[in-house]
Amino acid sequence: MHTANRSRHDVVVVGARVAGSATAMLLARLGHDVAVVDQASFPSDTVSTHSIARSGVVQLHRWGLLDEVLDSGAPAIRQVTFNAGGESVRRTIKHKAGVDLVVAPRRYVLDTILATAAQRAGAQVRPGVTVTGVRRDGRGRVVGVDGHDGAGAPVELGARWVVGADGLRSRVARSVGAAINELGPAGGAAQYAYYAGVPWDGIEFFVAARSFAGVFPTHDGQACIWVCTPAADAGAVRRGAGSRVEAFGELLERSAPKLAERLRQARRTSPVLGVLRQPNQLRQAFGPGWALVGDAGYYRDAVTAYGISDAFRDAELLAVALDQALRADAEEAAALARYERQRDQALREVFEITCRLSAYPPVPTFVELQKQLGGAIDEEAAALAARPVPGERRLATA
Ligand SMILES: Cc1cc2nc3c(=O)[nH]c(=O)nc-3n(C[C@H](O)[C@H](O)[C@H](O)COP(=O)(O)OP(=O)(O)OC[C@H]3O[C@@H](n4cnc5c(N)ncnc54)[C@H](O)[C@@H]3O)c2cc1C
């Protein structure tokens, strides 16, 4: 039976943001029947700042979406200024791996561009559908999902593969009992707000004792101003302050007094958002009939601002593995095991750097780790740029 609320697909993806829509888009470009559902509707925001590292920009470029992101009004960022220990170093972003800029589009813009690209590629995108659990066959293999639409009507989607791209608190991961294979040290807090009314000159970073703050210029002349600290520090400041806004101002004053001074001339255009505590963790990536991608499978503290790039890399690794499994080009367990192995190898260096950064070591060590992070990102960008683009030929002839 194939009705709006009951249908069958090669792949059902749960979660339609950076991980889910990218996976669905690539699978649809590879010729598969894909449905991607999300309890949210688009455009809508999510709690996240949104600087995309060079490796993530390389993915947007390879997938033919970078121009759309820039055309949305997200400014091309070509300067990065790093402030630490009283010194300020300003660099121009070099032309490497095919890109000479980074970008920080608002998530309601980026996620909508990706969901629309998935739809354009032929995926069925279904906003307003909440998944409540997975369906299994008699042998325990996952063969679909159950849920309901916005009106509360039941939804039943059958699939050869179910992909959980439903974020840190993934319902799919819980339903299949995905194990946490690695639990790093607990991460910290990341808080942010948007400001307008003053000029921004590229990305800025400010390192101070037990804090990391910065500026990500975004749409409409606004910038995302953020501050990352240990969870205990954010909690203590919040308890002593009259409001979240006051606590944010106090943290910024401690972390980046020169930035706090400049912001006195600016206008805050949003409430203060963020998270007070984050894990560093790696989940099992697949099992019979299911796989996880994005934050559902791997979460790291936002201090490295790398989750979007992780999601884009792993979406492609997973789409390639599922394509092989669906076409029976490879035995499915071997294809998915390769996905898990490639994901775990690819994320390793940045994961370890993130775990160390989120413990807020002394400033010189923090700065050294940031340099290592830059090297790891450039290496990953070069490796991604050298890969064939999944579904490119089909896209070119469409
Ligand atoms: C404060 C903060 C700042 C950050 N800053 C950056 C940054 O600057 N750069 C960067 O690269 N990364 C950053 N990150 C990380 C980044 O936000 C995440 O890694 C990224 O959003 C992961 O994308 P995802 O698609 O895996 O999951 P999500 O973005 O969490 O999307 C999951 C989707 O699944 C849907 N969903 C969940 N459950 C269900 C269900 N049961 N049924 C249907 N749908 C469901 C949700 O509605 C949601 O739309 C930051 C994170 C935080 C918290």
Side-chain angles (χ1 to χ4, degrees), residues 11 18 68:
V11 183
V18 288
E68 218 173 311

Side-chain angles (χ1 to χ4, degrees), residues 34 48 50 52 75 118 121 125 140-141 155 167 187 194 209 216 225 248 251 263 288 301-302 304 339-340 354 383 386:
V34 188
S48 173
H50 34 76
I52 308 180
V125 180
R141 183 184 170 97
V155 173
Y194 294 90
F216 294 153
I225 307 295
F248 183 67
L251 282 176
L263 291 177
D301 189 298
T304 35
Y339 160 60
E340 182 166 86
T354 309

Side-chain angles (χ1 to χ4, degrees), residues 221-355:
Q222 301 197 31
C224 174
I225 307 295
W226 51 270
V227 57
C228 295
T229 60
D233 298 28
V237 170
R238 177 68 187 91
R239 281 191 293 280
S243 68
R244 213 167 171 181
V245 170
E246 205 179 291
F248 183 67
E250 196 178 322
L251 282 176
L252 265 183
E253 195 66 57
R254 282 187 195 180
S255 313
K258 284 190 181 150
L259 175 60
E261 172 72 37
R262 269 161 61 203
L263 291 177
R264 283 195 251 290
Q265 314 302 317
R267 182 166 40 88
R268 187 169 50 78
T269 58
S270 76
V272 173
L273 303 159
V275 288
L276 291 180
R277 191 175 294 279
Q278 301 168 87
N280 286 301
Q281 69 181 31
L282 189 52
R283 281 198 181 109
Q284 177 188 354
F286 76 101
W290 63 269
L292 301 177
V293 70
D295 280 6
Y298 164 46
Y299 194 92
R300 82 316 301 130
D301 189 298
V303 69
T304 35
Y306 208 60
I308 298 168
S309 301
D310 279 323
F312 286 169
R313 178 198 63 227
D314 295 342
E316 184 168 325
L317 293 175
L318 178 58
V320 169
L322 287 176
D323 179 55
Q324 289 168 349
L326 286 161
R327 289 182 197 286
D329 286 348
E331 201 264 311
E332 64 169 44
L336 272 290
R338 192 158 46 247
Y339 160 60
E340 182 166 86
R341 204 167 48 246
Q342 288 175 328
R343 179 198 72 165
D344 292 1
Q345 272 170 10
L347 63 79
R348 181 55 43 194
E349 189 175 1
V350 176
F351 185 44
E352 283 173 6
I353 292 171
T354 309
C355 290

